[in-house]
Amino acid sequence: GRDFRDSRERSGGRDFRDQPDTRDRGGRARPAAEDRRDDRRGDRAGAARGADSRGRRGEDRGERPERTGRTERTGRTERSGRGERPARSSSRVYTRRDDHKFRASAPARPAARDFRDSRVPRGGGQAERDLSPAARSRLNTLRAEYDPRDDDRADDDRDTYTDVPDGIRLQKALAQAGVASRRASEELIVAGRVTVDGHTVRRFGARVDPESSEIRVDGMRVVTAPDKLYFALHKPRGVVSTMWDPEGRPTLADYTGQTEERLFHVGRLDTETEGLILLTNDGELANRLTHPRYRVVKTYIAKVPGPVPREVVREVRGGVELEDGPVEVDSFRVVENGEPQALVEVRLHEGRKHIVRRLLDAVGHPVSDLARTQIGPVGINTLKPGTMRALTANEVSELYTAAGM
C-alpha cells in the first residue's frame, strides 16, 4: 500500500491526473496529439480521393453526382465516408467550411414563370376571356377588318392631299363604287392612276369623303356617293316621258319600280319614239347631259322612205334651216339604203322638241319609226323594251367625262 504521494515525488511532483490518457477504451495505446492531427489530415485526403474516384465511376455509368462538401449524391442515395444513406429532401444544403463550423446555403431560386402562363396580361389589362360578349364581338370585328396593308408605309411618298376627318380609306371608296376590287384598287393607287381633289395619291391610308371628294381614275370621274342612282331604260312606244301624267297614260314611273330616291329623266322622247332614256337622282349630271352647251351627243336610228340620195346626205351634213333656227348635226349616214324603206343614223347634241323628225321631214324623207340608241357613251345594246338596268361604274364615269365633270 504505497501512498500515492510517493509516486508524485518520484515523478517530479506531478499528479497522475495531469498526464494525458494514451490508451483507448480497449486498453490499446493511443497516439500522441501530433500523430492524431496527421491522421485526420490523411483521412480527409483519402476521403477526397475516394469521392473523386466514385464520382468518375458514377459519370461512367451515366450518373451525375452532386458534390456538397464531403458528401456526394448519386441517384436517390448519398455517399460519404460512413456508407450510403437515403438522400435528404431538404431545400437547404449544408456545406463544410472548416473542421468545426457549418453554414446553411440559400435554397435554389425557382425558375422564372413565363408571362404567357399568367391569367392577367402584361400592362394590367383584362384577359380576353374575361371581356364581356359585346367587347369580344367588337374585338373580333376589328381583327376581321384590319389589314396590315392599310397602314401607311414609312417609305411611301407623301403627297399634298389632306385627309378628310372621319373619312373612309381610298381603296374602300373605289371598291364600293364598283371600279374594281379592293386589291385591284390598291394597285391603281400604287401606280399613281388615282387622284383625289386634284392630288395624285399613292398611299393606302388616304381618307376621303364619298359624298364630296372628287375621285378620278385615269382622269375619269368616279362617283362614290352611295345614294347616287343611275339607270338606263328602254322606253316603249306609247309611254309618256314623264314620271306622272294627268291623263292617266303610261309613264316612266311604271317601269322604274319602287325606289326611295326621286329620279329625274335625262331629256325626253315623244310618245311615239322608243329607245334609251336615262334616269338618275344626280341633278347636276342630268342638266349637263341635256344642255346643248356641253355637246353630249345622242344617237338616233330612223326609218325613212328609200333610197336616200347622196345629195340629201350632203344637205343634212351641211345644216338645215328650220322655222326655229338652223340644225347642225354631228354626223349623218345611211345604214340601209333599200327601197321602199331605208335606215339612217343621225347624231346630234341638240334636244329641241321633235328635232329629228322635223329635220328629216325638211329634206323630203319623213320618219315612220324612230328610236334613240345611245346617249353619250351609254348604249341601249340588248336592253329590251320596257326593261331597266343600273349603269356600271365605268359607264357613269364615261358620262361624267362626256358632260365635262
Side-chain angles (χ1 to χ4, degrees), residues 16 18 62 81 92 103 188 191 229 232 235 249-250 271 275 284 290 316 333 337 347 376-377 382 392 398 402:
F16 72 95
D18 298 333
R92 291 184 177 272
R103 64 181 178 87
L188 295 175
L229 303 175
K235 185 190 87 66
R249 293 175 294 179
T271 306
E284 183 181 2
T290 55
V316 173
R333 69 186 182 93
N337 201 9
R347 304 180 75 241
T382 58
T392 65
E398 290 176 343

Side-chain angles (χ1 to χ4, degrees), residues 307-320 329 331-335 337 343-345 360 363 365:
V308 178
R310 293 183 178 178
E311 295 78 9
V312 173
V313 175
R314 288 195 294 268
E315 183 182 0
V316 173
R317 289 176 177 174
V320 178
V329 300
S331 68
F332 179 80
R333 69 186 182 93
V334 178
V335 178
N337 201 9
L343 293 178
V344 296
E345 179 190 82
L360 294 178
V363 294
H365 292 268

Side-chain angles (χ1 to χ4, degrees), residues 123-382:
Q126 282 184 300
E128 182 177 341
R129 58 177 167 271
D130 296 332
L131 298 176
S132 65
R136 286 198 299 271
S137 177
R138 289 193 298 271
L139 181 61
N140 292 333
T141 301
L142 291 174
R143 286 173 175 167
E145 292 182 352
Y146 173 72
D147 187 343
R149 296 181 64 183
D150 288 343
D151 298 333
D152 292 341
R153 295 180 297 182
D155 58 345
D156 278 348
D157 295 333
R158 301 300 298 179
D159 48 60
T160 56
Y161 172 71
T162 303
D163 291 350
V164 176
D166 300 327
I168 66 173
R169 295 187 183 275
L170 177 56
Q171 63 268 37
K172 184 176 181 180
L174 292 174
Q176 290 179 347
V179 174
S181 67
R182 187 169 175 174
R183 293 291 173 262
S185 298
E186 291 175 351
E187 294 176 0
L188 295 175
I189 294 172
V190 171
R193 298 170 60 184
V194 182
T195 63
V196 182
D197 296 335
H199 302 274
T200 301
V201 179
R202 296 178 181 269
R203 51 190 168 94
F204 298 156
R207 294 188 175 274
V208 300
D209 182 4
E211 297 285 347
S212 59
S213 298
E214 183 180 298
I215 304 175
R216 295 180 180 273
V217 177
D218 295 335
M220 298 179 62
R221 177 78 175 270
V222 176
V223 180
T224 56
D227 60 336
K228 297 299 183 182
L229 303 175
Y230 305 89
F231 297 100
L233 171 67
H234 188 161
K235 185 190 87 66
R237 288 184 184 178
V239 177
V240 181
S241 296
T242 59
M243 302 303 291
W244 178 80
D245 182 64
E247 300 179 11
R249 293 175 294 179
T251 64
L252 300 177
D254 297 331
Y255 300 92
T256 58
Q258 300 296 325
T259 56
E260 297 180 358
E261 296 289 338
R262 181 185 177 188
L263 298 178
F264 306 95
H265 49 85
V266 179
R268 292 175 180 267
L269 291 176
D270 60 70
T271 306
E272 296 303 317
T273 300
E274 66 174 294
L276 180 64
I277 193 165
L278 300 181
L279 300 167
T280 182
N281 58 353
D282 190 336
E284 183 181 2
L285 177 63
N287 178 64
R288 285 175 172 255
L289 290 176
T290 55
H291 201 288
R293 182 178 62 182
Y294 299 101
R295 305 183 70 86
V296 178
V297 176
K298 289 85 174 176
T299 303
Y300 298 85
I301 296 293
K303 183 183 293 186
V304 297
V308 178
R310 293 183 178 178
E311 295 78 9
V312 173
V313 175
R314 288 195 294 268
E315 183 182 0
V316 173
R317 289 176 177 174
V320 178
E321 186 70 30
L322 300 178
E323 64 274 10
D324 56 353
V327 178
E328 295 181 2
V329 300
D330 291 88
S331 68
F332 179 80
R333 69 186 182 93
V334 178
V335 178
E336 293 182 6
N337 201 9
E339 185 180 359
Q341 293 181 336
L343 293 178
V344 296
E345 179 190 82
V346 182
R347 304 180 75 241
L348 70 169
H349 58 271
E350 291 194 55
R352 285 182 282 176
K353 186 176 182 179
H354 299 157
I355 184 66
V356 176
R357 292 179 182 273
R358 289 191 294 144
L359 168 65
L360 294 178
D361 187 62
V363 294
H365 292 268
V367 174
S368 57
D369 289 323
L370 182 63
R372 183 162 64 189
T373 59
Q374 192 165 341
I375 299 176
V378 179
I380 197 170
N381 300 328
T382 58

Side-chain angles (χ1 to χ4, degrees), residues 84-145:
E84 297 184 355
R85 64 178 181 273
R88 291 174 293 187
S89 60
S90 173
S91 61
R92 291 184 177 272
V93 180
Y94 289 86
T95 59
R96 182 76 175 267
R97 174 177 291 182
D98 50 35
D99 292 342
H100 305 288
K101 297 180 181 180
F102 291 85
R103 64 181 178 87
S105 62
R109 301 177 65 180
R113 186 174 57 177
D114 193 341
F115 73 89
R116 290 172 293 184
D117 297 335
S118 176
R119 290 181 176 271
V120 180
R122 290 189 298 179
Q126 282 184 300
E128 182 177 341
R129 58 177 167 271
D130 296 332
L131 298 176
S132 65
R136 286 198 299 271
S137 177
R138 289 193 298 271
L139 181 61
N140 292 333
T141 301
L142 291 174
R143 286 173 175 167
E145 292 182 352

